[in-house]
Amino acid sequence: MDAVIDNLPTFLSAFGGTLQLLALSGIGALVLGVIIAAMRISPVASLRAFATVYTEVLRNTPLTLALFFCATLLPYLQFNPGYFPLAVIGLTAYTSPFVAEAVRSGINGVPIGQAEAARSIGLPFGQVLLVIVLPQAVRMVIPPLINVLIALTKNTSVAGAFFVFELFAAGRTLANARGDAVIPILLGVAFFYLLVTVPLGLIAGRIEKKVAVLR
Amino acid sequence: MTISVLYDAPGPVARRRSAMTSVVGAVILIALTAWLISTLAAERTTAAGAVLPGLFDSSRWDIFADPVVWQSLGRGALNTLAMAAVAAVLALAIGVLFSFGRTARSRWIRFPVAVLLEFFRGMPVLLMMLFVLLVFSTGTYWAGVTALAVYNGAIIGEALRAGIRSLPAGQREAGLAIGLHPIRTRLIIEFPQAFRQMLPIIIAQLVVLLKDTSLAYIVGYSELLRTGQNLTNFFGNRYNFSFFFIVLAMYLVMNLILSWVARIVSRRTASRTRPAVVDATVTGPTGGRATAGKGSATPD
Amino acid sequence: MRRRSTRWTIATAAVAALALSACADTGSSTPEPEVVEDAQFEPGTTMAALADAGTITIGTKFDQPLFGLAGPGGVPVGFDVEIGKIIAAELGIAPEDIRWVETVSANREPFIQNGEVDIVIATYTINDTRKEVISFAGPYYEAGQDLLVPAGNPDGITGPEDLADKVVCTVTGSTSEVNIREYATADVLTTDTYTNCLEPLRTGAAQVLTTDNVILAGLADQTDGEFEVVGNPFTAEPYGIGLALDDTEFRNWINDVLEAAYADGRWVAAWEGTAGAVLETPQPPAVDRY
């Protein structure tokens, strides 16, 4: 245990890196995901096609390869804002299709009569979606979205392999330096991840119960 | 023809606007692709002034004429599938156990299972693989399989639980009313329905599992991605991006085939699941029931 | 172009003959060590068990040019591999009866501890915390941490003291990372493989790659003269052979084998056939019988 306590400052600053990755790419993925979801159900065929291809390609690409693309091929293309932003871009892009699918499943859950009623009073697509359907979908979308965020929290660990300082990379460095205390250090790393994911899971469960009652 | 209930059938103006958007979008995409290809094909000058051949230069691709390279990549792909297949079977089994534990009547079962579930859901797969390898001395293959099975089992378990909960209460009551034991009711009445309802999500999670085998590089299992990296090291760094594109394409093919199967399965079961705003026809039955719960695939 | 074509030949040959012992780069081959016919060991020792089994499992790197590098045939080649063959031969085990297992930095100790491998020869630096969980024979080579820079050394870097405003790239959790953090640098980028570090050097996101000189030599060799090693090692990294903790008989025996190989030229032959293609032949280090 002393191996963890001795290295607490390293753990904390690495945890900070993980939280930053999580916050920035989480927000990015939510925004991008909602846009992709809207494109997938929009009246314009080309937007639907684009969103479908985007979703299919990214959902079927291993995260390691997605991050490799961002960390090496984007700088190759003269786009080089630094490795932290590149990792955020990679995580955002990778997570957004999952957000889009969660949002879509939420929209699916809104009773069909709602949309029909909205259209029958003459609302166009944008308003049907924004004013009537999405607000109702949000309730049901939140639990799966939180699950997506939980997965994102853990996925930030892969970014450590691509020049970013975060919890898992720091854990490996410490574990290597202390060959005699590998297990406590890894448990310490796990603890910090659970510090984020367990509360998120509990919130998801709470909201899910409420939604179940409201339904 | 399927028309979404979210908007009217497009009239002439909307159709024209839609067509214009399509044309503009296509032009932008084509321009972007052309720029990408020409940039990658052009010679590259590094920060230190060295000039490297473009990515499509034949010197970067010549080794792929050798069947030995493909045999090696094929072996890597087989290793990936070997890990994914066993992990998938175990994940399903663990998922079933978890869903039973989580819906058990006794709080003494329900609560510990919930804690365990949260724990496994919250641990990065990378960390779990390393942990299993170091603590249980399982060897690389089983470290990868165990971590993938436990994590995905937790997700599948939650999906199944959401499926069981979304069934009408009458199903269970009917089972009990004809004198079935609660466990038998769950096994032969509730569970098959929940499983069928959640099948698309479960299969989507299996795609995630297949992709995640690439994380086994952390324990040194020679799956597809690692095989590609080792080949890069052997043939020289010049082939770095070549192997990246080839390995990416191989993953996409494997995963898209699995996704395609998933889509066929979900379409087959679609008639049994609820109608939805997006997918339903205008004349479809109304009164959809949401299953948004915890049951969606996660991007890990 | 010459180099690539020889690599080609080697790649093909490696599949044709699994026991090929040739350098991936030059094609110059090391003569196979002579396998000792019915080697005799005291019953109950690890040596006796291995000799009876007629096979040995050796963990090595599969991605380390010059030391342990697996081609498309899956059989690794390099100096570490040659050392393994010398030891196996003394046990009466032919090279084709050796089972090679890929070890990465994270799994070397666990593999030894749980018996997944009999020994590990994998550019494995001897250090004290590792000695608490496993034992080391050797060292059989002494490397030193050095710097890799673009060819021509545009920043005129001669040693770690010149890195004050430079970004340095290395592998997460490596000894090199710990060492380089003691020097003033603008930043240290860490990643999973040394190959990954080459791209930041090309884009200018980093100026220097640091790790053991022999690994750098391998990288310089496989990038067609795009990079060069500064050639001023600033640490000592003795490479040892990892084996089960406190198997003193086995450790002493391996040390004897190493010393014999130093004396009769097998060690030099192994070097010249592999890493010697790029690096000068060093003096063998004295084994450490702790």
Side-chain angles (χ1 to χ4, degrees):
Chain A
M1 222 43 224
D2 61 318
V4 176
I5 293 161
D6 291 348
N7 293 305
L8 207 55
T10 315
F11 270 113
L12 287 177
S13 67
F15 187 47
T18 294
L19 286 181
Q20 276 180 41
L21 277 176
L22 171 63
L24 292 172
S25 42
I27 292 167
L30 286 179
V31 172
L32 194 58
V34 170
I35 293 173
I36 296 292
M39 281 167 86
R40 269 199 95 160
I41 55 173
S42 82
V44 183
S46 58
L47 290 183
R48 282 202 301 272
F50 174 80
T52 308
V53 171
Y54 175 90
T55 307
E56 284 305 312
V57 169
L58 273 166
R59 249 162 51 117
N60 290 300
T61 304
L63 176 60
T64 326
L65 290 175
L67 284 171
F68 179 91
F69 182 91
C70 289
T72 64
L73 263 166
L74 290 184
Y76 188 139
L77 299 169
Q78 305 300 322
F79 177 73
N80 200 356
Y83 286 109
F84 188 85
L86 285 170
V88 170
I89 291 171
L91 286 169
T92 298
Y94 179 80
T95 312
S96 58
F98 293 91
V99 172
E101 291 297 282
V103 170
R104 224 160 62 98
S105 79
I107 292 172
N108 276 348
V110 176
I112 205 163
Q114 295 290 329
E116 283 170 348
R119 265 179 56 217
S120 70
I121 59 169
L123 294 181
F125 171 70
Q127 284 188 31
V128 174
L129 200 60
L130 283 177
V131 182
I132 306 294
V133 177
L134 273 182
Q136 297 187 66
V138 160
R139 274 206 313 250
M140 278 170 294
V141 167
I142 286 177
L145 274 187
I146 289 180
N147 283 325
V148 170
L149 288 182
I150 290 177
L152 173 62
T153 312
K154 300 179 305 173
N155 284 343
T156 56
S157 64
V158 182
F162 297 96
F163 316 111
V164 174
F165 181 68
E166 51 73 56
L167 198 49
F168 186 65
R172 284 178 72 192
T173 305
L174 291 175
N176 213 49
R178 290 289 302 270
D180 55 328
V182 174
I183 308 296
I185 286 171
L186 289 184
L187 284 175
V189 172
F191 169 78
F192 280 102
Y193 279 109
L194 294 173
L195 214 55
V196 179
T197 56
V198 167
L200 280 177
L202 292 178
I203 294 171
R206 188 65 55 81
I207 294 176
E208 191 188 2
K209 255 178 215 147
K210 271 198 182 153
V211 175
V213 174
L214 286 168
R215 230 182 256 160
Chain B
M1 192 176 115
T2 305
I3 303 164
S4 171
V5 293
L6 290 171
Y7 45 84
D8 296 311
V13 177
R15 267 208 298 269
R16 203 172 326 128
R17 211 181 289 148
S18 168
M20 262 174 55
T21 321
S22 299
V23 169
V24 171
V27 167
I28 292 175
L29 264 184
I30 289 170
L32 213 67
T33 315
W35 172 79
L36 191 73
I37 289 175
S38 70
T39 313
L40 291 180
E43 281 192 343
R44 175 187 187 192
T45 310
T46 64
V51 178
L52 306 177
L55 277 200
F56 305 115
D57 191 88
S58 63
S59 70
R60 288 182 185 268
W61 296 90
D62 50 6
I63 51 166
F64 292 101
D66 191 339
V68 165
V69 174
W70 290 102
Q71 280 165 18
S72 191
L73 286 171
R75 238 185 339 263
L78 281 182
N79 283 344
T80 288
L81 292 174
M83 179 174 276
V86 174
V89 172
L90 289 178
L92 286 174
I94 292 173
V96 170
L97 286 180
F98 268 140
S99 69
F100 276 102
R102 274 284 266 158
T103 50
R105 283 204 296 180
S106 161
R107 154 188 296 267
W108 294 104
I109 300 176
R110 225 167 43 220
F111 185 71
V113 169
V115 170
L116 209 61
L117 237 154
E118 284 301 333
F119 181 76
F120 287 136
R121 241 157 46 110
M123 286 262 276
V125 178
L126 276 178
L127 185 63
M128 206 137 50
M129 283 183 182
L130 202 54
F131 197 81
V132 173
L133 180 80
L134 298 184
V135 179
F136 301 107
S137 305
T138 51
T140 54
Y141 176 75
W142 287 105
V145 167
T146 311
L148 288 173
V150 168
Y151 168 70
N152 291 288
I155 303 286
I156 290 173
E158 282 294 84
L160 288 174
R161 186 183 66 103
I164 290 174
R165 277 183 42 149
S166 72
L167 294 177
Q171 294 291 329
R172 180 175 176 77
E173 285 159 7
L176 296 174
I178 58 168
L180 290 176
H181 190 270
I183 293 178
R184 281 183 66 92
T185 308
R186 177 137 293 161
L187 269 176
I188 64 178
I189 295 188
E190 291 179 272
F191 193 72
Q193 298 184 59
F195 193 77
R196 191 179 297 135
Q197 190 164 1
M198 287 296 155
L199 206 51
I201 285 163
I202 289 169
I203 294 180
Q205 193 59 35
L206 294 182
V207 174
V208 168
L209 186 151
L210 179 56
K211 281 192 309 183
D212 276 3
T213 54
S214 68
L215 299 179
Y217 77 89
I218 194 83
V219 288
Y221 179 70
S222 56
E223 38 69 53
L224 181 54
L225 183 61
R226 181 143 189 92
T227 305
Q229 283 170 350
N230 279 355
L231 287 174
T232 307
N233 280 311
F234 185 80
F235 286 106
N237 195 251
R238 172 193 315 133
Y239 301 103
N240 196 9
F241 289 115
S242 316
F243 276 109
F244 166 75
F245 284 122
I246 298 273
V247 166
L248 177 61
M250 288 175 78
Y251 269 111
L252 281 177
V253 168
M254 288 195 296
N255 290 325
L256 282 171
I257 289 175
L258 191 55
S259 301
W260 176 65
V261 172
R263 204 163 307 129
I264 288 176
V265 171
S266 66
R267 201 166 294 156
R268 274 182 147 187
T269 56
S271 57
R272 297 178 184 273
T273 48
R274 71 258 152 243
V277 169
V278 177
D279 301 325
T281 58
V282 179
T283 52
T286 51
R289 190 176 62 247
T291 50
K294 281 196 173 182
S296 59
T298 58
D300 191 301
Chain C
M1 289 312 268
R2 181 194 63 84
R3 178 171 295 134
R4 192 170 69 253
S5 58
T6 45
R7 265 184 225 261
W8 258 77
T9 325
I10 299 309
T12 322
V15 176
L18 287 179
L20 185 90
S21 71
C23 173
D25 299 297
T26 61
S28 66
S29 61
T30 320
E32 292 292 359
E34 227 170 277
V35 180
V36 174
E37 296 292 326
D38 44 37
Q40 292 298 322
F41 299 100
E42 219 169 287
T45 58
T46 311
M47 292 83 83
L50 290 170
D52 284 349
T55 181
I56 184 171
T57 307
I58 304 180
T60 191
K61 293 271 178 87
F62 276 28
D63 57 357
Q64 207 75 160
L66 306 181
F67 275 69
L69 183 62
V75 179
V77 291
F79 183 61
D80 281 343
V81 174
E82 292 307 315
I83 295 291
K85 286 178 186 166
I86 290 174
I87 293 168
E90 289 293 321
L91 290 165
I93 298 167
E96 60 269 22
D97 292 328
I98 301 174
R99 204 170 79 85
W100 297 102
V101 171
E102 180 176 12
T103 48
V104 294
S105 296
N107 70 14
R108 287 179 298 199
E109 289 94 343
F111 269 20
I112 296 170
Q113 287 172 292
N114 65 28
E116 184 116 350
V117 298
D118 296 307
I119 52 175
V120 165
I121 314 176
T123 60
Y124 201 2
T125 303
I126 300 174
N127 74 27
D128 287 340
T129 55
R130 285 175 183 158
K131 272 187 193 168
E132 285 182 24
V133 286
I134 60 152
S135 287
F136 282 105
Y140 60 95
Y141 180 76
E142 188 157 283
Q145 189 171 342
D146 209 330
L147 307 170
L148 184 82
V149 293
N153 200 350
D155 294 314
I157 293 163
T158 56
E161 297 78 17
D162 298 340
L163 300 177
D165 56 345
K166 302 289 184 289
V167 180
V168 184
C169 186
T170 189
V171 160
T172 313
S174 60
T175 322
S176 314
E177 183 197 351
V178 179
N179 291 338
I180 202 66
R181 283 195 192 276
E182 287 172 14
Y183 292 91
T185 63
D187 199 3
V188 178
L189 291 178
T190 65
T191 177
D192 258 30
T193 62
Y194 292 107
T195 321
N196 277 353
C197 274
L198 296 175
E199 277 303 312
L201 257 63
R202 288 187 180 127
T203 59
Q207 289 79 42
V208 186
L209 196 177
T210 185
T211 182
D212 297 353
N213 51 359
V214 288
I215 297 172
L216 296 179
L219 286 171
D221 181 53
Q222 60 144 265
T223 46
D224 311 312
E226 198 189 331
F227 300 99
E228 65 177 54
V229 183
V230 167
N232 179 18
F234 53 93
T235 65
E237 307 290 339
Y239 287 172
I241 297 170
L243 54 117
L245 184 64
D246 295 334
D247 190 349
T248 313
E249 275 169 335
F250 193 31
R251 184 157 61 87
N252 286 336
W253 179 80
I254 292 179
N255 282 334
D256 293 342
V257 172
L258 285 176
E259 280 174 347
Y262 292 170
D264 63 15
R266 277 179 295 167
W267 186 88
V268 172
W271 179 269
E272 284 172 350
T274 55
V278 182
L279 295 160
E280 281 180 22
T281 306
Q283 281 296 315
V287 298
D288 172 22
R289 293 175 185 271
Y290 65 91

